[in-house]
Amino acid sequence: MSAPVFLPPSDIGILGGGQLGRMLALEARRSGYKVAIFTDEKPGCPAGQWADAEFNAAYDDTDMLDRFLSRVDVVTAEFENIPDACLAHVEKQRPLRPGRRAIHTTQHREREKLFLREQGIACAEFRIVTSLEEFEAAVAALGRPCVIKTAAFGYDGKGQKKIEAGTDLAAVWADFAGAHAVVEQWVPFVCEISVVGARSVNGRMAVHGVVENMHEHHILDLSIAPARVDAAIAEQALGLWEAVAEGLDYVGTMAVEMFVTQAGGVLVNEIAPRPHNSGHLTIDACITNQFQQQMRAVCGLDLGDPSLHTPSVMINLLGDLWPAETTPPDWTPVLCHPRAKLHLYGKAEARARRKMGHINVLGETLEEALESALQIKQALAPSAQG
Ligand code: AMP
């Protein structure tokens, strides 16, 4: 039996209320779909602001989940940290794309790493540890520097610590005790890249190419497309993305973050079972953006052309740029720029390190896009705003 196809005005259900759900809702509603959000955030969350309906409850509130499920035709997720029991409940009643296994595997570093190992997909050498003794043995085996990361609910560098020559392991373990953790060899990378793409219900894949990422304090700062890597690196990266997508029998938009090593290799760092921050530039720079692809894949349709039509740089906007919690910066340098696009996520209060929006800057050439992006970044810096 072929998988069901959902056409407008079908109702797409989204688990999660953040900016990724918001941008999917915008894309889907533009094409005539209805959108319902289920989130444990308060009403009026970023995704809820653009949804036809918003259900606000804990992920284990099965009564509310049933109400949500009774109005939607198909369900997807905009973040991965959704309890498995919730995914199981959803899956019994509606098609869930990506499926429970893909989300369950990638929401937890230990399961993710074991999946990569099992599939023979290149990643940094690692050990799973559950006690101080195992942690000490892992550090001895992997060498210093290395990094310890919590297995569950880690992102943007949260729940991780670099182990240097003089680091006291017992003191570090105090923060990780009681949980599973992953200890990873330190990768002295040349650069960080990601591949964002989508896989359809019938197994066709379409990727947006390789994006180069620059982080500040472990949070994405700039994304650059196309990445300044040679063809052999790009080919490896695209191959890794495809291996992950096939291995997870993935349906939807997925991002794989990777390290480019000094030896000219590529290692998988993390898998995101959803659209990704480094794919936001696809909204303005690609023929079909990552949210349109997610909508198509989730609804059982063929994917669009993912090609990048214009070199582009994305600047992340964190709450640190806001002069006060509810006072945004002066956006004139962005809004008056002929090739910059402002995307804000509708978050009322700015906090340090909180993702508030992004800017996509286009250029005739990548150099031009980068130069404009750096000028805009400088003009928005608190010191320039006076
Ligand atoms: P993660 O939360 O695992 O994506 O890590 C956040 C950032 O920490 C990455 O984007 C890297 O810049 C850095 N990082 C994480 N793991 C490693 C590693 N094994 N070697 C070098 N840098 C790392």
Side-chain angles (χ1 to χ4, degrees):
M1 202 179 79
S2 61
V5 168
F6 302 98
L7 294 170
S10 298
D11 205 320
I12 302 175
I14 305 176
L15 298 170
Q19 60 266 18
L20 301 176
R22 175 189 180 92
M23 289 183 267
L24 172 60
L26 275 161
E27 195 65 37
R29 292 196 63 181
R30 196 152 60 111
S31 295
Y33 283 98
K34 293 201 195 74
V35 171
I37 304 291
F38 189 99
T39 175
D40 62 0
E41 287 186 49
K42 289 201 277 283
C45 62
Q49 291 168 21
W50 286 100
D52 296 274
E54 189 176 354
F55 295 80
N56 308 87
Y59 288 102
D60 62 359
D61 184 335
T62 48
D63 290 341
M64 193 67 112
L65 266 177
D66 288 342
R67 282 177 53 198
F68 163 74
L69 291 169
S70 71
R71 76 160 276 158
V72 303
D73 298 293
V74 61
V75 179
T76 190
E78 67 100 47
F79 84 126
E80 55 272 36
N81 291 332
I82 299 163
D84 193 48
C86 172
L87 299 174
H89 191 83
V90 169
E91 198 182 52
K92 271 193 217 125
Q93 297 186 43
R94 292 288 183 272
L96 172 65
R97 299 172 177 165
R100 183 174 159 204
R101 178 176 156 251
I103 299 174
H104 184 66
T105 304
T106 53
Q107 71 184 191
H108 191 268
R109 278 189 209 281
E110 178 180 352
R111 289 195 287 268
E112 185 172 290
K113 290 280 187 194
L114 294 174
F115 159 79
L116 292 171
R117 182 181 278 167
E118 193 186 283
Q119 299 280 322
I121 296 172
C123 63
E125 217 190 305
F126 69 92
R127 299 278 189 285
I128 311 290
V129 299
T130 58
S131 66
L132 176 59
E133 294 67 40
E134 286 175 7
F135 177 37
E136 285 168 344
V139 173
L142 297 171
R144 300 181 188 222
C146 58
V147 54
I148 180 169
K149 303 178 179 183
T150 51
F153 304 117
Y155 62 94
D156 289 339
K158 286 181 190 154
Q160 59 175 272
K161 173 101 180 103
K162 188 174 178 185
I163 311 300
E164 314 262 16
T167 308
D168 175 358
L169 298 187
V172 170
W173 185 251
D175 288 338
F176 289 84
H180 284 210
V182 176
V183 183
E184 229 176 76
Q185 201 160 51
W186 190 254
V187 181
F189 53 76
V190 179
C191 66
E192 292 186 82
I193 57 175
S194 57
V195 176
V196 180
R199 187 167 176 274
S200 68
V201 166
N202 56 23
R204 290 217 190 88
M205 294 183 268
V207 297
H208 298 287
V210 183
V211 176
E212 184 180 339
N213 299 317
M214 295 184 181
H215 295 84
E216 250 177 42
H217 309 293
H218 294 289
I219 301 178
L220 188 63
D221 181 37
L222 291 181
S223 284
I224 298 170
R228 295 163 296 177
V229 294
D230 64 35
I233 298 285
E235 199 180 316
Q236 282 183 66
L238 299 178
L240 289 172
W241 186 92
E242 288 190 2
V244 173
E246 298 271 13
L248 290 170
D249 193 19
Y250 198 86
V251 177
T253 290
M254 178 188 79
V256 180
E257 293 181 80
M258 308 172 201
F259 300 127
V260 177
T261 69
Q262 282 157 353
V266 183
L267 301 174
V268 169
N269 175 32
E270 261 198 321
I271 305 165
R274 51 173 169 78
H276 191 256
N277 201 161
S278 65
H280 290 352
L281 52 77
T282 64
I283 297 174
D284 297 303
C286 288
I287 292 172
T288 313
N289 72 54
Q290 62 169 351
F291 300 101
Q292 168 88 201
Q293 297 289 53
Q294 183 184 21
M295 178 195 93
R296 287 181 181 225
V298 164
C299 290
L301 301 164
D302 285 339
L303 302 174
D305 178 350
S307 313
L308 186 82
H309 55 66
T310 311
S312 174
V313 175
M314 184 222 58
I315 309 168
N316 243 0
L317 298 170
L318 301 185
D320 309 62
L321 281 179
W322 268 235
E325 215 173 63
T326 53
T327 314
D330 172 1
W331 297 119
T332 314
V334 191
L335 292 174
C336 292
H337 191 284
R339 285 174 173 245
K341 314 277 180 136
L342 178 64
H343 299 256
L344 291 175
Y345 305 151
K347 298 182 185 178
E349 286 160 19
R351 288 193 294 274
R353 310 269 164 99
R354 189 177 197 201
K355 290 179 182 172
M356 301 296 288
H358 67 270
I359 301 166
N360 290 337
V361 187
L362 307 179
E364 282 291 336
T365 60
L366 185 57
E367 291 67 35
E368 189 190 300
L370 251 176
E371 199 180 307
S372 299
L374 294 177
Q375 277 166 5
I376 290 169
K377 210 165 157 340
Q378 206 161 34
L380 292 178
S383 56
Q385 295 246 320

